[in-house]
Amino acid sequence: MGMRVGYARVSSLGQKLDVQLDKLSDCDRIYHEKVSAGSTKLRIELQKALDFVRDDDAFVVTKLDRLARSVVDLSMIVQRLEEKKADLVVLDQGIDTTTIYGRLQFNILASIGEFERGLIRERSREGREKAIARGVQFGAKAKLDKKEIAQLVEDFEAPGCSKVDIADQLWN
């Protein structure tokens, strides 16, 4: 068995990490931060911990909600741990992929996450198709209308008109 790498997070400056750090006290290395899981800020310490963990290490958290923003986020984190051949231990929820039962429990959670991602993709595709059927156009709006484009082509084909002249006309 490799190292036990702990990760603790609280959402706001007013909250304290003490309880989580006490529970993670048997870890060889602990990463911690104060950042909301739902915020757009990067969880830098989480990234450092995931970068550090390696073969046969156990990545330890107190609760799943301290680790992931959603089931999809959790699934991506787990995939990263699997690629590194590291286990996941969630103390308060009794998940421990170092055991056969913990792996079974975790694979069920991962399957639910994969199912949720599939549903999101399917809903997005259906929404896009319905929008297209209603005439919604995706992508950036055209900078020029058909009449302006026709005028530029006509100017380009006119003798004595250069590309520089057309560019000046277009941008001024």
Side-chain angles (χ1 to χ4, degrees):
M1 180 72 175
M3 293 179 71
R4 288 176 60 85
V5 179
Y7 173 72
R9 181 188 58 79
V10 291
S11 300
S12 68
L13 295 176
Q15 294 178 322
K16 296 198 181 315
L17 288 162
D18 299 353
V19 173
Q20 290 179 62
L21 294 176
D22 285 345
K23 290 180 179 183
L24 297 171
S25 63
D26 70 335
C27 290
D28 301 299
R29 189 168 193 156
I30 299 173
Y31 294 83
H32 56 86
E33 59 195 337
K34 293 183 179 186
V35 62
S36 172
S39 83
T40 55
K41 292 180 183 176
L42 291 176
R43 294 172 291 167
I44 294 168
E45 293 300 309
L46 174 59
Q47 296 311 313
K48 286 180 184 176
L50 291 171
D51 288 344
F52 178 81
V53 75
R54 52 195 181 270
D55 285 8
D56 294 327
D57 285 352
F59 190 81
V60 185
V61 294
T62 58
K63 295 180 182 177
L64 283 176
D65 69 343
R66 301 295 86 204
L67 176 62
R69 296 177 167 115
S70 64
V71 176
V72 174
D73 187 33
L74 176 62
S75 182
M76 290 188 311
I77 291 169
V78 169
Q79 183 178 359
R80 192 163 170 196
L81 290 171
E82 285 176 349
E83 288 168 1
K84 296 187 121 204
K85 296 181 174 67
D87 286 301
L88 176 67
V89 176
V90 185
L91 300 173
D92 292 357
Q93 280 127 354
I95 298 171
D96 183 349
T97 64
T98 64
T99 70
I100 190 168
Y101 298 111
R103 273 194 296 279
L104 172 63
Q105 185 180 17
F106 198 75
N107 284 331
I108 291 169
L109 284 174
S111 295
I112 291 169
E114 189 174 323
F115 176 70
E116 184 179 3
R117 278 195 313 279
L119 286 176
I120 290 168
R121 277 193 302 272
E122 189 173 303
R123 285 189 205 120
S124 295
R125 183 185 46 77
E126 288 172 356
R128 219 173 11 264
E129 288 171 357
K130 286 180 182 178
I132 290 170
R134 287 193 318 269
V136 172
Q137 301 236 344
F138 290 91
K141 296 201 184 257
K143 305 288 186 233
L144 303 173
D145 62 28
K146 290 179 182 180
K147 186 177 177 183
E148 291 168 319
I149 293 171
Q151 182 62 51
L152 287 173
V153 169
E154 186 179 316
D155 291 345
F156 179 75
E157 291 172 348
C161 187
S162 71
K163 293 177 186 177
V164 173
D165 294 336
I166 293 173
D168 286 342
Q169 178 185 5
L170 182 62
W171 301 116
N172 293 326

